[in-house]
Amino acid sequence: EEPLTVQDREFVSCVQNGDRPATDGVCGLAVVQALEAAELSLRSGRTVYLTDGYGFAAEDQVPELAS
């Protein structure tokens, strides 16, 4: 089954029943930060470290990428 369909079905069920979803915004944020760290690593050719699961080494730690 298509993942977005499953996610949407769970969201509607949580809204209707007042339940908390299996994955919430905090989990989604961690995924986005990991993907952004991976992209930064690819662009810079450097290792980018995740810190405590929610943050990552940002452009200020890779001076040539700073705007």
Side-chain angles (χ1 to χ4, degrees):
E1 191 170 10
E2 202 274 320
L4 190 54
T5 301
V6 174
Q7 180 181 349
D8 289 349
R9 187 178 304 119
E10 181 187 11
F11 174 77
V12 170
S13 175
C14 287
V15 169
Q16 290 174 336
N17 299 316
D19 296 330
R20 185 180 183 131
T23 58
D24 57 13
V26 172
C27 292
L29 177 60
V31 169
V32 169
Q33 288 177 322
L35 292 172
E36 288 180 347
E39 180 181 354
L40 179 58
S41 178
L42 285 170
R43 288 188 331 183
S44 69
R46 296 183 184 203
T47 301
V48 177
Y49 296 95
L50 297 176
T51 59
D52 68 17
Y54 296 102
F56 59 90
E59 279 87 354
D60 64 335
Q61 294 175 320
V62 184
E64 62 270 19
L65 294 179
S67 2

